[in-house]
């Protein structure tokens, strides 16, 4: 609905769970939020369970969904995984990518995700030939998000080199615009829409020569757009950066004006004390993707120290080994418990803030991620009566959602006041598993 009332059986209001909350919606935004409404008002749409603000998936590469399962056969490292990933990237076309991304974003909607940050770097045809519309691939992703009913920040990614001082390899020709100036010119043509915002990304310090980092940073600065960068995911990147520039990747980014409150470092896994101080002191965000980081054997990043230093936390499903933001949130705390052998590094509320308000802020949607008047009417409802969630008192709904629920417990998803998932079914993409199977199969053929 575009105008009306949702009645939330239980609602997480940032610091507590309230039973019986009426949320008025008009023009895609939340009007009044009324508590102590113990029966649904006449005509209200009823959301049974625990309703959270919509979840933000702050780091996605939609096409990696085609690797699920396939990359679990055999052994290797991040670098061997990357070869398989490149072979899938080589087969993408605008139409094939649209079909795959539509299905992947529909899977996200079913998992309660209302906004995705798509870190997008497959820009051109194989060999680097430009499409008639040089933004055909980015447009395919924006359209896919519209059809799946979720918001997108297209983080158009500058990717120019295979490594420090190395030209792009054969697979990477599709990613490269030739220079940061040419990247900026192509991106300037992309238009924002109601459901879509445009941000920038630096693939990594490996992929953008130091002398061109400032061009990307300035582009984002002029537009007050989010700027994301893969940062120190692998020790090999740190070693190569030290050899080439005599400083860490974080220091290199700081020296070229890349860090700041609109910037998010993705992974931030292998950092020095100085790196942590630079990121925290500049207000640069940290996007952790723990299900991917464990899948790729990256390591466990110093997220606790980063947050303490002033770096806000967001979460992403990155390679889509699984798409489950509750699992990402849970993994943050559980990884830290295994490492430290102590409990209680984050509260459930702090992890939900990372998955909602702070995730949206990292994607340039500051007005989303809370249930309060004026916010975008984006909501996610978790069942409290499933085999996983039945039992705990509803006042512990946040703890139950983070530490016991899964994406399979998402019952309703509302974006801009419209119900995109109702009773666990997508309202616009009739058979999401089939859409996924077909799109992945088409890439394999
Ligand atoms: Zn990534």
């Amino acid at each position: 609905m575009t105008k009306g009332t949702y009645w939330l059986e239980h609602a997480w209001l940032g610091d507590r769970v309230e039973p019986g909350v009426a949320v008025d919606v008009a023009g895609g935004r939340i009007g009044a939020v009324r508590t102590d409404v113990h029966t649904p008002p006449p005509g209200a749409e009823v959301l049974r369970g625990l309703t959270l603000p919509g979840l933000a998936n702050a780091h996605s590469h939609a096409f990696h969904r085609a690797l699920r399962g396939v990359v679990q056969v055999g052994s290797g490292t991040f670098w061997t995984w990357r070869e398989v990933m490149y072979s899938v990237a080589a087969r993408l076309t605008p139409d094939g990518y649209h079909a795959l991304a539509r299905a992947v974003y529909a899977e996200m909607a079913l998992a309660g995700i209302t906004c995705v940050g798509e870190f997008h770097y497959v820009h051109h045809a194989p060999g680097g030939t430009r499409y008639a519309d040089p933004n055909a691939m980015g447009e395919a992703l924006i359209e896919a998000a519209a059809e799946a009913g979720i918001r997108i920040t297209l983080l158009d990614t500058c990717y120019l080199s295979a490594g420090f001082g190395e030209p792009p390899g054969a697979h990477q020709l599709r990613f490269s615009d030739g220079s940061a100036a040419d990247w900026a010119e192509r991106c300037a043509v992309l238009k924002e829409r109601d459901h879509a915002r445009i941000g920038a990304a630096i693939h990594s310090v490996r992929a953008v020569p130091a002398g061109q980092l400032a061009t990307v940073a300035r582009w984002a600065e002029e537009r007050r757009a989010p700027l994301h960068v893969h940062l120190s995911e692998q020790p090999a990147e740190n070693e190569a950066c030290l050899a080439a520039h005599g400083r860490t990747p974080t220091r290199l980014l700081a020296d070229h004006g890349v860090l700041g409150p609109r910037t998010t470092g993705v992974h931030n896994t292998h950092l020095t004390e100085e790196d942590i101080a630079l990121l925290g002191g500049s207000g640069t965000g940290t996007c952790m993707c723990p299900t991917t980081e464990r899948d790729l054997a990256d390591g466990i990043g110093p997220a606790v120290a980063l947050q303490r230093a002033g770096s806000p936390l967001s979460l992403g499903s990155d390679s889509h080994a699984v798409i489950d933001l509750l699992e990402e949130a849970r993994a943050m705390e559980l990884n830290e418990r295994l490492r430290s052998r102590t409990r209680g590094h984050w509260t459930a509320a702090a992890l939900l803030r990372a998955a909602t308000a702070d995730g949206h802020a990292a994607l340039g949607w500051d007005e989303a991620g809370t249930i309060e008047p004026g916010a975008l009417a984006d909501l996610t409802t978790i069942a409290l009566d499933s085999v996983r969630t039945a039992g705990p008192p509803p006042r512990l709904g946040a703890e139950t959602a983070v530490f016991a629920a899964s994406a399979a417990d998402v019952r309703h998803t509302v974006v801009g006041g419209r119900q995109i998932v109702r009773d666990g079914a997508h309202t616009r993409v009739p058979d999401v598993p089939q859409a996924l199977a077909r799109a992945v199969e088409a890439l394999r053929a």
Side-chain angles (χ1 to χ4, degrees):
M1 65 179 145
T2 50
K3 189 166 170 23
T5 300
Y6 284 98
W7 181 76
L8 320 182
E9 187 185 19
H10 302 279
W12 181 70
L13 298 181
D15 55 353
R16 68 194 188 283
V17 172
E18 278 280 338
V21 175
V23 172
D24 295 334
V25 167
R29 289 188 183 253
I30 293 173
V33 176
R34 288 168 282 135
T35 55
D36 294 318
V37 182
H38 294 294
T39 52
E45 188 82 39
V46 173
L47 303 181
R48 290 220 180 265
L50 173 70
T51 297
L52 313 170
L55 305 177
N57 187 358
H59 190 67
S60 160
H61 308 281
F63 76 92
H64 291 191
R65 177 63 176 78
L67 301 170
R68 192 177 290 182
V70 175
V71 284
Q72 304 301 349
V73 181
S75 56
T77 64
F78 171 88
W79 306 102
T80 53
W81 169 88
R82 195 175 71 154
E83 289 308 312
V84 183
M85 183 269 281
Y86 280 167
S87 69
V88 172
R91 292 196 289 275
L92 292 169
T93 62
D95 285 350
Y97 205 4
H98 169 263
L100 177 61
R102 172 178 172 270
V104 174
Y105 296 156
E107 180 183 355
M108 290 187 192
L110 289 171
I113 292 160
T114 55
C115 184
V116 61
E118 181 64 36
F119 197 105
H120 165 56
Y121 55 84
V122 187
H123 302 303
H124 307 298
T129 312
R130 277 28 178 182
Y131 290 110
D133 172 0
N135 284 310
M137 293 294 248
E139 292 291 348
L141 293 165
I142 291 172
E143 180 56 30
E147 290 175 24
I150 69 171
R151 301 182 197 279
I152 184 171
T153 296
L154 187 75
L155 298 159
D156 198 296
T157 304
C158 186
Y159 194 131
L160 307 172
S161 53
F164 298 94
E166 289 172 44
H171 283 313
Q172 296 161 332
L173 291 170
R174 301 196 71 175
F175 312 160
S176 176
D177 291 293
S179 71
D182 289 331
W183 164 87
E185 200 177 306
R186 179 180 54 72
C187 293
V189 182
L190 286 161
K191 295 271 179 300
E192 302 206 328
R193 281 142 253 204
D194 278 354
H195 81 292
R197 292 195 175 154
I198 310 299
I202 290 164
H203 179 274
S204 57
V205 293
R206 297 192 306 273
V208 178
Q212 302 192 54
L213 291 169
T215 305
V216 184
R218 209 174 313 117
W219 189 96
E221 178 65 34
E222 282 166 8
R223 288 163 178 77
R224 307 189 69 72
L227 170 60
H228 287 216
V229 52
H230 287 135
L231 182 56
S232 290
E233 182 176 5
Q234 289 288 325
E237 171 181 303
N238 289 354
E239 289 152 22
C241 188
L242 283 164
H245 296 291
R247 60 199 94 176
T248 65
T250 301
R251 173 45 85 184
L252 188 71
L253 294 176
D255 290 349
H256 289 84
V258 174
L259 302 187
R262 272 190 308 281
T263 301
T264 296
V266 181
H267 304 303
N268 296 359
T269 313
H270 302 283
L271 302 180
T272 65
E273 292 297 319
E274 193 209 5
D275 293 340
I276 293 169
L278 283 169
L279 291 165
S282 60
T284 302
T286 293
C287 179
M288 289 289 180
C289 309
T291 67
T292 292
E293 288 148 9
R294 72 192 185 199
D295 185 60
L296 297 183
D298 285 346
I300 304 170
V304 174
L306 281 161
Q307 241 188 328
R308 208 174 291 133
S311 177
L313 176 69
S314 55
L315 301 168
S317 64
D318 189 4
S319 69
H320 312 313
V322 295
I323 294 178
D324 187 340
L325 260 275
L326 300 170
E327 175 61 32
E328 302 294 345
R330 168 161 63 236
M332 291 302 303
E333 167 67 17
L334 298 187
N335 280 353
E336 205 58 41
R337 288 185 190 178
L338 284 173
R339 175 162 64 182
S340 67
R341 288 180 286 156
T342 58
R343 311 174 83 230
H345 305 278
W346 284 276
T347 61
L351 290 168
L352 285 180
R353 257 194 306 284
T356 57
D358 290 351
H360 280 96
L363 297 177
W365 297 86
D366 298 276
E367 71 276 53
T370 56
I371 300 176
E372 60 184 19
L376 291 171
D378 297 355
L379 306 169
T380 294
T381 306
I382 313 282
L384 292 180
D385 56 1
S386 78
V387 286
R388 286 166 294 275
T389 59
R395 70 182 163 77
L396 296 180
E399 286 75 10
T400 306
V402 170
F403 290 104
S406 78
D409 295 309
V410 171
R411 187 171 281 167
H412 310 292
T413 306
V414 173
V415 181
R418 292 191 174 87
Q419 207 162 346
I420 301 301
V421 173
R422 182 179 287 122
D423 293 320
H426 203 289
T427 60
R428 299 178 180 196
V429 180
D431 188 337
V432 178
Q434 187 189 65
L436 282 162
R438 284 197 178 148
V440 170
E441 179 57 38
L443 262 185
R444 226 180 276 140

